[in-house]
């Protein structure tokens, strides 16, 4: 009976072949349309259940870190039933420790669990020794960049490039498919006080007195070490509090005869960028990178087109000609 019914369907489709071709053609067209519109991602969606908890304990030995920070931290983390104890490991060294935490395989909403752990750690910090500076959690290992945009110019410095990157990032965040925008490779501006030790010794002033004078004015200095008889020693100063001229005019010494010694008498004050820690180049030019992430469920091809269209509009209307976007 079933064979006869199947043969009837086949016979009907052969007799009405025009309608059959029409249905097949419509399905083919819908398939091509769906191939273009279906969600596409550069990387497959997966759940990464691993995170790291870092504790900072300045001045403590590895044994003190292990006894006073790592053990209480592990005990607290193991109070969460979602934490897989067998896969959680810790390492400690002088002044710092890290605990690699892995959640159970049956955890579906890892963001909710990590939010609960972070919230609990904020209260747990008060039970740790006073010397513990901070406990930080990082659980965003699964976030990947969908696009990298290089913003470079030979005419503008890093401070201006950062402003342009903020402008571009704010505009790109208006796209519904953009989830996160991060700026990478921006070198922070600083003011350096470069001390001439010959002048400093001629006035009978020590380097510590100069550092104390700068600190008294609310300027944060970065301490370092001096070896040998070097003439110049840079002291890094936060540029957010003072300009070069104000720092140069600061009085570091005065006596009863109203004779004063200012910073400019014993040092050079310069504004610039510290490139010793590294920087990013594109086509041989220093640049700043904008990292873009895509919301799950979107089409990476259409995502790229939307970003390119937005960048073209920004470049034409809001950026100078000597700023390039790649």
């Amino acid at each position: 009976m079933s064979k006869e019914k199947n043969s009837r369907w086949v016979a009907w489709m052969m007799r009405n072949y025009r309608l059959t071709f029409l249905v097949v053609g419509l399905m083919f067209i819908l398939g091509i349309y769906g191939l273009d519109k279906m969600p596409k991602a550069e990387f497959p969606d997966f759940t990464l259940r691993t995170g790291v908890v870092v504790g900072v304990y300045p001045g403590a030995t590895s044994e003190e870190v292990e006894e006073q920070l790592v053990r209480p931290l592990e005990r607290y983390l193991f109070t969460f039933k979602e934490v897989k104890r067998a896969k959680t490991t810790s390492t400690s060294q002088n002044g710092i420790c890290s605990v690699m935490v892995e959640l159970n395989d049956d955890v579906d909403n890892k963001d909710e669990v990590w939010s609960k752990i972070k919230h609990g750690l904020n209260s747990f910090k008060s039970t740790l020794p006073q010397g513990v500076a901070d406990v930080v959690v990082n659980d965003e290992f699964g976030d990947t960049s969908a696009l990298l945009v290089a913003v470079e110019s030979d005419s503008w410095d890093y401070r201006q490039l950062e402003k342009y990157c903020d402008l571009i990032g704010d505009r790109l965040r208006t796209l519904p498919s953009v989830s996160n925008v991060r700026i990478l490779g921006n070198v922070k501006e600083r003011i350096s006080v470069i001390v001439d030790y010959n002048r400093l010794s001629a006035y009978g002033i020590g380097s510590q007195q100069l550092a104390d004078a700068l600190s008294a004015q609310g300027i944060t200095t970065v301490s370092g070490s001096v070896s040998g008889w070097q003439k110049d020693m840079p002291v890094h100063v936060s540029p957010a509090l003072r300009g070069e001229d104000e720092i140069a005019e600061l009085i570091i010494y005065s006596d009863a005869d109203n004779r004063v010694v200012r910073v400019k008498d014993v040092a050079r004050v310069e504004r610039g960028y510290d490139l010793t820690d590294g920087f990013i180049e594109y086509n041989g030019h220093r640049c700043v990178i904008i990292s873009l992430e895509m919301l799950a469920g979107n089409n990476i091809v259409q995502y790229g087109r939307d970003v390119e269209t937005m960048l073209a509009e920004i470049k034409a209307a809001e950026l100078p000609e000597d700023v390039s976007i790649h």
Side-chain angles (χ1 to χ4, degrees), residues 172-189:
L172 290 174
R173 288 186 181 93
T174 61
L175 295 176
S177 55
V178 174
S179 66
N180 191 20
V181 179
R182 293 181 295 167
I183 298 178
L184 308 173
N186 184 41
V187 181
K188 295 299 182 181
E189 193 176 23

Side-chain angles (χ1 to χ4, degrees), residues 240-301:
L241 300 177
R242 290 285 190 272
E244 305 96 309
D245 295 336
E246 292 185 40
I247 294 175
E249 294 295 332
L250 285 177
I251 298 175
I252 59 176
Y253 173 80
S254 62
D255 58 18
D257 298 330
N258 291 327
R259 290 178 297 185
V260 297
V261 178
R262 304 180 187 273
V263 172
K264 65 180 180 181
D265 297 326
V266 297
R268 296 196 319 272
V269 182
E270 298 177 352
R271 182 186 294 267
Y273 298 92
D274 183 11
L275 303 178
T276 57
D277 292 335
F279 54 89
I280 300 176
E281 285 189 347
Y282 181 83
N283 285 338
H285 303 285
R286 291 172 185 168
C287 68
V288 179
I289 298 293
I290 301 177
S291 172
L292 304 175
E293 298 175 11
M294 185 184 71
L295 283 173
N298 285 279
N299 188 331
I300 186 65
V301 179

